Amino acid sequence: MADEVLEQLKAGVRRFQTQVYPQRAEMYAQAASEPQKPHTLFITCADSRIDPNEITSTGPGEVFVTRNIGNMVPAYGEMLGGVSAVIEFAVGGLGVKHIAICGHSDCGAMKALMDPESVAKMPSVRNWLKNAHAALSVAETLHERMPERDLVQELTEQNVLQQLGHLKTHPSVAAAMAAGELTLSGWVYEIGSGAVRMAADGSHVFKPLET
């Protein structure tokens, strides 16, 4: 079965090389000849159904992307590692002008937060989910007051908002925002419909993006 998957990937690469690349050869050549100058850092979930470039209609060199389970950003100093390094490099090294944190519908990380036993045998995942415990508390409180709202959807939104708060604790982000050189936004992408809801300009309300 593993060999079959590899062969499937190889077939995909061949299709790219023979069908996709030739149609975009000039674009790729230009991207290879110039240093990357992405305008945005896009932080999203590792979920295989999310394609940042497809969602944003962007090409090579436009969007710097980092992905992890639950589109989380540890507060600065708590879990310094890959996510922190990406943020620091994107802001301080590449000079991105915007950072978007994008959650999505049917998120396994949000479901795991609500059902810790589901990841009982995954200690690394369980530890990583600590970055969203406050979001779970807020979502549960709001759900008690407004039970008509779907709890997973509420948690997805609250998690994005919490990670935006964590993002602002990073020195590079705080400095760039203070200088008026960086803005932030929170997104929720609906996989089934393609709809995107955004909370921008400091808002805590996710509003549908009009088409």
Side-chain angles (χ1 to χ4, degrees), residues 145-159:
R145 297 178 181 177
M146 297 178 288
E148 68 277 7
R149 275 185 56 89
D150 180 75
L151 180 55
V152 176
Q153 179 177 315
E154 188 70 65
L155 177 54
T156 299
E157 293 185 359
Q158 293 303 321
N159 176 57

Side-chain angles (χ1 to χ4, degrees), residues 97-132:
K97 301 303 181 185
H98 188 79
I99 301 178
I101 298 182
C102 182
H104 66 95
S105 60
D106 193 41
C107 183
M110 301 302 101
K111 294 178 179 179
L113 275 166
M114 296 165 55
D115 180 19
E117 285 302 311
S118 66
V119 291
K121 296 182 179 180
M122 303 178 194
S124 296
V125 174
R126 190 171 64 248
N127 186 55
W128 179 252
L129 293 177
K130 291 178 181 178
N131 292 300

Side-chain angles (χ1 to χ4, degrees), residues 67-91:
R67 307 175 65 146
N68 62 66
I69 293 175
N71 41 269
M72 296 185 193
V73 176
Y76 188 77
E78 291 188 8
M79 291 184 180
L80 289 177
V83 177
S84 303
V86 167
I87 293 168
E88 190 172 82
F89 181 69
V91 177

Side-chain angles (χ1 to χ4, degrees), residues 162-173:
Q162 182 183 348
Q163 305 316 317
L164 284 170
H166 289 171
L167 186 59
K168 293 175 184 178
T169 68
H170 288 249
S172 58
V173 173

